[in-house]
Amino acid sequence: MSATDIPENAPEHCPGPTTEQAGTASACQGCPNQNVCATAPKGPDPDLPFIKERMDSVKHKILILSGKGGVGKSTFTSQLGFALANDENIQVGIMDVDVCGPSIPKIMGLEGEQIHQSLSGWSAVYVQDNLGVMSIGFMLSNPDDAIIWRGPKKNGLIKQFLKDVDWGDLDFMLVDTPPGTSDEHLSIIQYLKESGIDGAVIITTPQEVALQDVRKEIDFCRKVKIPIIGVVENMSGFVCPKCKGESVIFSPTTGGAKKMAEDVKIPFLGSIPLDPRIGKACDTGVSFLDEYSDSPACKAYLDIITEIKSSLTTQGNF
Ligand code: ADP
């Protein structure tokens, strides 16, 4: 049994929620989840072999994580997707599992698109031939609809995205996750356990309040044994598009992400400055990297993406 199967607040000697003893072992007495465990399906998830079969045709799976919302995680995921797909020989899929806040369709110019079904499963929505996206945002009749789902329903959707979507042969699958560490993270890790996750890229802003949550994210990755590709500091200084002068907006009071990365011994991938044109590109659904290719922020993105690719090369599997 892996660490992901046992909840953090489980009693000592918890047998694990999917074991035959779940809910009936002596350790379960008095546990608030006893009834849920006693009635939950036992044994390995029968869908896991189907997920593995689909995922075997995906070379690299990368999770994009953040401790907090609003730090630029979905923006980073989409720009990474655009940049990788600039090589027409590379096939890229983006899976948006931020079930309650799916912003990828908007950022990638796909708002209002719908998922189609074929004999081989659901089809992703394509930005271009080699860049497909899957998001719950495509299933809403109105983008302003709130999604109020409990864990099992969210997990069911994530499972469908992995099992029922005809992703085809992919070089990269980028998984945009919700902020923090929640059901969605545990599900994706559990479902991808057999086919393997290359690693996680963690996005943060420079302030200590954001870094505090990043440390939790790092601890989470270590507990569930997901390699950390590195941390990216976003909104790190402001470069005036006119005079090119730089000012600090979010002060790195404790040294920022670079120092934190050194302290906890994980790679620091680089910093991306604040640039209002990033927000504009995202709101209009175009690639910031293509639109503003001569900007310092674009250079920062591309340097970080090179670091990510070389980290995968070092792991010997790019
Ligand atoms: P998250 O996925 O972490 O919740 P988003 O990617 O949705 O965050 O970004 C939040 C907002 O910040 C968006 O409006 C986005 O366009 C903007 N943004 C992200 N990075 C930058 C940046 N470096 N400079 C300016 N705006 C940014």
PDB file of all heavy atoms in Angstrom, residues 253-270:
ATOM      1  N   THR A 253      10.554  38.917   0.978  1.00  0.00           N
ATOM      2  CA  THR A 253      11.045  39.245   2.326  1.00  0.00           C
ATOM      3  C   THR A 253      11.938  38.162   2.921  1.00  0.00           C
ATOM      4  O   THR A 253      12.808  38.448   3.729  1.00  0.00           O
ATOM      5  CB  THR A 253       9.868  39.491   3.295  1.00  0.00           C
ATOM      6  OG1 THR A 253       8.969  38.400   3.145  1.00  0.00           O
ATOM      7  CG2 THR A 253       9.161  40.798   3.015  1.00  0.00           C
ATOM      8  N   THR A 254      11.718  36.904   2.520  1.00  0.00           N
ATOM      9  CA  THR A 254      12.560  35.838   3.085  1.00  0.00           C
ATOM     10  C   THR A 254      13.527  35.287   2.041  1.00  0.00           C
ATOM     11  O   THR A 254      13.991  34.158   2.149  1.00  0.00           O
ATOM     12  CB  THR A 254      11.688  34.694   3.656  1.00  0.00           C
ATOM     13  OG1 THR A 254      10.778  34.277   2.619  1.00  0.00           O
ATOM     14  CG2 THR A 254      10.913  35.128   4.871  1.00  0.00           C
ATOM     15  N   GLY A 255      13.787  36.080   1.012  1.00  0.00           N
ATOM     16  CA  GLY A 255      14.772  35.653   0.004  1.00  0.00           C
ATOM     17  C   GLY A 255      14.136  35.112  -1.260  1.00  0.00           C
ATOM     18  O   GLY A 255      14.830  34.773  -2.214  1.00  0.00           O
ATOM     19  N   GLY A 256      12.796  34.983  -1.254  1.00  0.00           N
ATOM     20  CA  GLY A 256      12.105  34.519  -2.462  1.00  0.00           C
ATOM     21  C   GLY A 256      12.268  33.030  -2.717  1.00  0.00           C
ATOM     22  O   GLY A 256      12.820  32.288  -1.898  1.00  0.00           O
ATOM     23  N   ALA A 257      11.782  32.612  -3.889  1.00  0.00           N
ATOM     24  CA  ALA A 257      11.743  31.177  -4.206  1.00  0.00           C
ATOM     25  C   ALA A 257      13.147  30.592  -4.382  1.00  0.00           C
ATOM     26  O   ALA A 257      13.379  29.421  -4.099  1.00  0.00           O
ATOM     27  CB  ALA A 257      10.928  30.962  -5.475  1.00  0.00           C
ATOM     28  N   LYS A 258      14.091  31.439  -4.863  1.00  0.00           N
ATOM     29  CA  LYS A 258      15.447  30.913  -5.108  1.00  0.00           C
ATOM     30  C   LYS A 258      16.075  30.432  -3.798  1.00  0.00           C
ATOM     31  O   LYS A 258      16.592  29.322  -3.716  1.00  0.00           O
ATOM     32  CB  LYS A 258      16.296  32.016  -5.737  1.00  0.00           C
ATOM     33  CG  LYS A 258      17.637  31.547  -6.224  1.00  0.00           C
ATOM     34  CD  LYS A 258      18.216  32.594  -7.177  1.00  0.00           C
ATOM     35  CE  LYS A 258      19.404  32.065  -7.932  1.00  0.00           C
ATOM     36  NZ  LYS A 258      20.593  31.950  -7.149  1.00  0.00           N
ATOM     37  N   LYS A 259      15.953  31.285  -2.772  1.00  0.00           N
ATOM     38  CA  LYS A 259      16.561  30.923  -1.488  1.00  0.00           C
ATOM     39  C   LYS A 259      15.838  29.706  -0.897  1.00  0.00           C
ATOM     40  O   LYS A 259      16.459  28.784  -0.376  1.00  0.00           O
ATOM     41  CB  LYS A 259      16.512  32.108  -0.526  1.00  0.00           C
ATOM     42  CG  LYS A 259      16.922  31.738   0.869  1.00  0.00           C
ATOM     43  CD  LYS A 259      17.521  32.864   1.643  1.00  0.00           C
ATOM     44  CE  LYS A 259      18.118  32.410   2.970  1.00  0.00           C
ATOM     45  NZ  LYS A 259      17.286  31.499   3.724  1.00  0.00           N
ATOM     46  N   MET A 260      14.497  29.736  -1.001  1.00  0.00           N
ATOM     47  CA  MET A 260      13.740  28.607  -0.464  1.00  0.00           C
ATOM     48  C   MET A 260      14.165  27.300  -1.140  1.00  0.00           C
ATOM     49  O   MET A 260      14.359  26.280  -0.495  1.00  0.00           O
ATOM     50  CB  MET A 260      12.251  28.843  -0.654  1.00  0.00           C
ATOM     51  CG  MET A 260      11.412  27.760  -0.047  1.00  0.00           C
ATOM     52  SD  MET A 260       9.980  27.395  -1.051  1.00  0.00           S
ATOM     53  CE  MET A 260      10.690  26.950  -2.595  1.00  0.00           C
ATOM     54  N   ALA A 261      14.331  27.374  -2.485  1.00  0.00           N
ATOM     55  CA  ALA A 261      14.722  26.174  -3.235  1.00  0.00           C
ATOM     56  C   ALA A 261      16.095  25.677  -2.755  1.00  0.00           C
ATOM     57  O   ALA A 261      16.294  24.472  -2.579  1.00  0.00           O
ATOM     58  CB  ALA A 261      14.751  26.485  -4.725  1.00  0.00           C
ATOM     59  N   GLU A 262      16.995  26.636  -2.515  1.00  0.00           N
ATOM     60  CA  GLU A 262      18.325  26.228  -2.016  1.00  0.00           C
ATOM     61  C   GLU A 262      18.191  25.576  -0.641  1.00  0.00           C
ATOM     62  O   GLU A 262      18.780  24.539  -0.376  1.00  0.00           O
ATOM     63  CB  GLU A 262      19.239  27.459  -1.884  1.00  0.00           C
ATOM     64  CG  GLU A 262      19.827  27.900  -3.210  1.00  0.00           C
ATOM     65  CD  GLU A 262      20.382  29.329  -3.158  1.00  0.00           C
ATOM     66  OE1 GLU A 262      20.546  29.908  -2.041  1.00  0.00           O
ATOM     67  OE2 GLU A 262      20.605  29.877  -4.251  1.00  0.00           O
ATOM     68  N   ASP A 263      17.367  26.205   0.217  1.00  0.00           N
ATOM     69  CA  ASP A 263      17.214  25.687   1.579  1.00  0.00           C
ATOM     70  C   ASP A 263      16.687  24.251   1.581  1.00  0.00           C
ATOM     71  O   ASP A 263      17.111  23.429   2.376  1.00  0.00           O
ATOM     72  CB  ASP A 263      16.236  26.568   2.386  1.00  0.00           C
ATOM     73  CG  ASP A 263      16.835  27.932   2.696  1.00  0.00           C
ATOM     74  OD1 ASP A 263      18.060  28.085   2.496  1.00  0.00           O
ATOM     75  OD2 ASP A 263      16.075  28.834   3.125  1.00  0.00           O
ATOM     76  N   VAL A 264      15.697  23.995   0.703  1.00  0.00           N
ATOM     77  CA  VAL A 264      15.084  22.647   0.749  1.00  0.00           C
ATOM     78  C   VAL A 264      15.668  21.714  -0.327  1.00  0.00           C
ATOM     79  O   VAL A 264      15.170  20.608  -0.522  1.00  0.00           O
ATOM     80  CB  VAL A 264      13.539  22.708   0.636  1.00  0.00           C
ATOM     81  CG1 VAL A 264      12.927  23.448   1.793  1.00  0.00           C
ATOM     82  CG2 VAL A 264      13.110  23.339  -0.679  1.00  0.00           C
ATOM     83  N   LYS A 265      16.711  22.229  -1.002  1.00  0.00           N
ATOM     84  CA  LYS A 265      17.457  21.409  -1.976  1.00  0.00           C
ATOM     85  C   LYS A 265      16.595  20.870  -3.115  1.00  0.00           C
ATOM     86  O   LYS A 265      16.515  19.679  -3.380  1.00  0.00           O
ATOM     87  CB  LYS A 265      18.176  20.260  -1.267  1.00  0.00           C
ATOM     88  CG  LYS A 265      19.173  20.746  -0.251  1.00  0.00           C
ATOM     89  CD  LYS A 265      20.031  19.646   0.295  1.00  0.00           C
ATOM     90  CE  LYS A 265      21.141  20.145   1.182  1.00  0.00           C
ATOM     91  NZ  LYS A 265      20.823  21.239   2.096  1.00  0.00           N
ATOM     92  N   ILE A 266      15.895  21.818  -3.751  1.00  0.00           N
ATOM     93  CA  ILE A 266      15.215  21.448  -4.992  1.00  0.00           C
ATOM     94  C   ILE A 266      15.677  22.433  -6.068  1.00  0.00           C
ATOM     95  O   ILE A 266      16.085  23.551  -5.747  1.00  0.00           O
ATOM     96  CB  ILE A 266      13.666  21.470  -4.871  1.00  0.00           C
ATOM     97  CG1 ILE A 266      13.154  22.849  -4.502  1.00  0.00           C
ATOM     98  CG2 ILE A 266      13.156  20.409  -3.914  1.00  0.00           C
ATOM     99  CD1 ILE A 266      11.651  22.995  -4.662  1.00  0.00           C
ATOM    100  N   PRO A 267      15.608  22.053  -7.350  1.00  0.00           N
ATOM    101  CA  PRO A 267      16.090  22.973  -8.388  1.00  0.00           C
ATOM    102  C   PRO A 267      15.229  24.238  -8.480  1.00  0.00           C
ATOM    103  O   PRO A 267      14.005  24.175  -8.359  1.00  0.00           O
ATOM    104  CB  PRO A 267      15.965  22.145  -9.675  1.00  0.00           C
ATOM    105  CG  PRO A 267      15.891  20.722  -9.239  1.00  0.00           C
ATOM    106  CD  PRO A 267      15.234  20.734  -7.885  1.00  0.00           C
ATOM    107  N   PHE A 268      15.904  25.370  -8.689  1.00  0.00           N
ATOM    108  CA  PHE A 268      15.200  26.625  -8.967  1.00  0.00           C
ATOM    109  C   PHE A 268      15.255  26.825 -10.474  1.00  0.00           C
ATOM    110  O   PHE A 268      16.337  26.862 -11.067  1.00  0.00           O
ATOM    111  CB  PHE A 268      15.885  27.784  -8.233  1.00  0.00           C
ATOM    112  CG  PHE A 268      15.243  29.105  -8.518  1.00  0.00           C
ATOM    113  CD1 PHE A 268      13.960  29.374  -8.058  1.00  0.00           C
ATOM    114  CD2 PHE A 268      15.904  30.083  -9.262  1.00  0.00           C
ATOM    115  CE1 PHE A 268      13.351  30.588  -8.337  1.00  0.00           C
ATOM    116  CE2 PHE A 268      15.303  31.297  -9.536  1.00  0.00           C
ATOM    117  CZ  PHE A 268      14.018  31.542  -9.076  1.00  0.00           C
ATOM    118  N   LEU A 269      14.090  26.930 -11.100  1.00  0.00           N
ATOM    119  CA  LEU A 269      14.054  26.945 -12.562  1.00  0.00           C
ATOM    120  C   LEU A 269      14.152  28.347 -13.150  1.00  0.00           C
ATOM    121  O   LEU A 269      14.461  28.508 -14.323  1.00  0.00           O
ATOM    122  CB  LEU A 269      12.772  26.256 -13.064  1.00  0.00           C
ATOM    123  CG  LEU A 269      12.623  24.775 -12.688  1.00  0.00           C
ATOM    124  CD1 LEU A 269      11.232  24.263 -13.043  1.00  0.00           C
ATOM    125  CD2 LEU A 269      13.682  23.943 -13.406  1.00  0.00           C
ATOM    126  N   GLY A 270      13.829  29.368 -12.347  1.00  0.00           N
ATOM    127  CA  GLY A 270      13.937  30.736 -12.849  1.00  0.00           C
ATOM    128  C   GLY A 270      12.771  31.613 -12.410  1.00  0.00           C
ATOM    129  O   GLY A 270      11.835  31.145 -11.758  1.00  0.00           O
TER     130      GLY A 270
END
